[in-house]
Amino acid sequence: MRATPDQALGSAWILLAACLASVACGGARSAPLVRPNEPMKLAAARAYVLALVNRDRSEAGLPELQRDEVAERAAQQHAEDMGRVGYTAHFGSDGSVPEERYTHAGGQHFVQENAACFADGVARALDENAVFPAALLEKIEAAFMAERPPADGHRRNILKDTHTSVGIGLAQPLGLPQPCMAQEFVDERGSYDSLPKSAQLGANLRVAGELKDPVEFGGVGVSRIEPKKPMRAEALNATSTYPIPEPATLYFPAGFRTPKPVALDGKHFSIEFPLNLGRGRYGVSVWGRYPGAGNQLTMVSLRVIDVR
């Protein structure tokens, strides 16, 4: 899955989008959206952005999303970082990536990000008492939804049918008329045993959990990216894509060609394997099959651990 090229929002905004799967429709329409008359503090502004997202999903016949407080923490971290440093990207100024920030916030599911901010590379303080006018939040959401294929990753993210919740991050740089926003969309399709934050190269890692109906277990994957390094605003603003790393190794249940079979006991799965891809950040993924998808596997969980 890859991000699409940047899109302009007026003269100051750059929008980055994740590459997402095709969507299907089904769901009830939500209540009419009530627009606030006065600028909103952070909590109310987040709720309003959630209402905008759910309005757009409802118009497409999709179910509403719930607020996700874990994803919200990751989104807020990223919105504030973009606002302080003056960039728009899925990478953070510390070199972090979306699934890494979500994992460190306490997440265990699958997350995909929309992001919008400035890209002038100017460091700024944030307004600690910021209020957010409805019109400016609507402008960002409208820009996401106005995208057209093939550069429509934000729109497809908002309208992805497998999402179950979303976390909203908002930040207001001082002296600028527009906020920065991060939307972290979550697919919650199971429960998983905890993973360590870090591990030694060559150590064994146990991955276990259960997927919820109607998703059936497919496999466990492991990928690797380089250790995290700080990034300057110029480098961040030069990024136009972020590839979610493909697994270097996939483990399947018995009966499939696999380096080692995943044990299945009813809905519960478990496997232990060595961390032997070199030092770096490992993406530990769980894959499942949705009804009607045949043998197609979809990532339903992606967590990151540091291997040293």
Side-chain angles (χ1 to χ4, degrees):
M1 301 183 180
R2 295 183 179 272
T4 63
D6 296 353
Q7 302 294 309
L9 174 54
S11 60
W13 294 89
I14 289 179
L15 308 179
L16 300 175
C19 174
L20 309 164
S22 299
V23 299
C25 294
R29 296 182 63 84
S30 61
L33 183 66
V34 178
R35 189 189 201 199
N37 294 322
E38 300 293 334
M40 296 161 280
K41 293 185 178 181
L42 179 59
R46 285 171 171 162
Y48 188 61
V49 175
L50 175 59
L52 293 172
V53 168
N54 280 331
R55 175 205 61 191
D56 293 334
R57 288 177 62 86
S58 176
E59 289 176 355
L62 293 167
E64 292 188 354
L65 303 180
Q66 302 300 312
R67 175 192 177 198
D68 191 305
E69 294 186 35
V70 173
E72 188 176 274
R73 291 196 292 270
Q76 190 63 32
Q77 173 194 342
H78 194 50
E80 291 178 1
D81 188 46
M82 290 191 295
R84 287 193 182 100
V85 178
Y87 74 92
T88 299
H90 293 301
F91 295 94
S93 64
D94 61 352
S96 62
V97 295
E99 60 268 22
E100 182 179 12
R101 294 187 291 269
Y102 172 67
T103 300
H104 291 173
Q108 60 173 201
H109 305 294
F110 181 60
V111 69
Q112 292 174 291
E113 177 179 272
N114 284 349
C117 195
F118 293 93
D120 57 10
V122 177
R124 296 179 174 88
L126 300 180
D127 186 350
E128 295 182 358
N129 299 305
V131 292
F132 301 90
L136 298 185
L137 303 178
E138 292 165 0
K139 182 179 180 181
I140 300 173
E141 181 71 10
F144 288 159
M145 291 299 295
E147 294 172 346
R148 293 293 179 264
D152 62 337
H154 288 99
R155 182 177 183 275
R156 285 185 286 133
N157 202 359
I158 292 167
L159 299 181
K160 189 178 178 186
D161 62 335
T162 60
H163 292 330
T164 56
S165 59
V166 63
I168 307 297
L170 295 167
Q172 180 60 62
L174 287 170
L176 295 178
Q178 293 169 307
C180 299
M181 181 188 294
Q183 299 174 338
E184 308 292 339
F185 293 91
V186 177
D187 295 4
E188 183 180 346
R189 298 299 173 184
S191 60
Y192 313 99
D193 292 2
S194 61
L195 296 180
K197 293 181 180 179
S198 63
Q200 294 296 314
L201 182 64
N204 285 334
L205 182 72
R206 184 177 183 274
V207 181
E210 294 185 3
L211 297 189
K212 300 177 181 178
D213 289 336
V215 181
E216 295 182 357
F217 175 78
V220 171
V222 59
S223 61
R224 176 195 168 275
I225 57 176
E226 291 296 316
K228 185 165 57 178
K229 295 181 180 179
M231 299 178 67
R232 302 176 71 88
E234 295 83 359
L236 290 162
N237 286 321
T239 60
S240 60
T241 63
Y242 168 65
I244 295 176
E246 295 290 336
T249 306
L250 274 167
Y251 298 93
F252 300 106
F256 295 86
R257 181 177 296 178
T258 179
K260 181 180 181 179
V262 180
L264 287 179
D265 183 6
K267 299 288 289 184
H268 188 268
F269 67 87
S270 63
I271 187 171
E272 188 173 295
F273 55 83
L275 301 170
N276 57 7
L277 300 176
R279 291 178 173 84
R281 291 171 285 177
Y282 282 44
V284 180
S285 54
V286 179
W287 298 71
R289 294 184 183 85
Y290 282 88
N295 291 325
Q296 178 181 337
L297 293 180
T298 300
M299 195 181 297
V300 295
S301 173
L302 178 59
R303 292 173 286 175
V304 174
I305 65 173
D306 292 318
V307 176
R308 302 166 182 170

